[in-house]
Amino acid sequence: KKGNDEAFAFFYEFFINDLYAYGISLGCEKEIVQDAIHDIFIKVYFDEKLYSSIEHLKYFLLKSLKNTLYKYH
């Protein structure tokens, strides 16, 4: 479990700036973007089947962010 937590933290830190910039570029408020990013990472963290089946994590996260932000509006 500890290794998974460390890997998860690494990926969060690695992708957070790109995700944030992308969300802002879609015209959303910063608080909404931050909430959406956290929602996505929580979903991935608690759904091991989802996480283990992702081939291209960055594209999955970007698409998930876009879809999540559209759901918020």
Side-chain angles (χ1 to χ4, degrees), residues 5-66:
D5 289 348
E6 291 173 357
F8 185 80
F10 170 81
F11 285 118
Y12 179 86
E13 291 297 323
F14 188 80
F15 290 117
I16 187 68
N17 290 332
D18 288 342
L19 291 169
Y20 184 76
Y22 179 62
I24 294 297
S25 76
L26 294 174
C28 298
E29 296 178 18
K30 63 182 181 177
E31 293 83 10
I32 300 293
V33 173
Q34 290 170 341
D35 287 347
I37 292 169
H38 292 155
D39 288 350
I40 292 164
F41 273 95
I42 287 170
K43 181 177 180 182
V44 170
Y45 183 82
F46 285 108
D47 189 347
E48 285 189 33
K49 284 184 180 180
L50 173 65
Y51 181 70
S52 65
S53 68
I54 299 171
E55 291 185 33
H56 302 285
L57 184 58
K58 181 176 182 176
Y59 299 109
F60 169 82
L61 293 171
L62 290 170
K63 185 175 181 180
S64 295
L65 179 60
K66 181 179 173 183

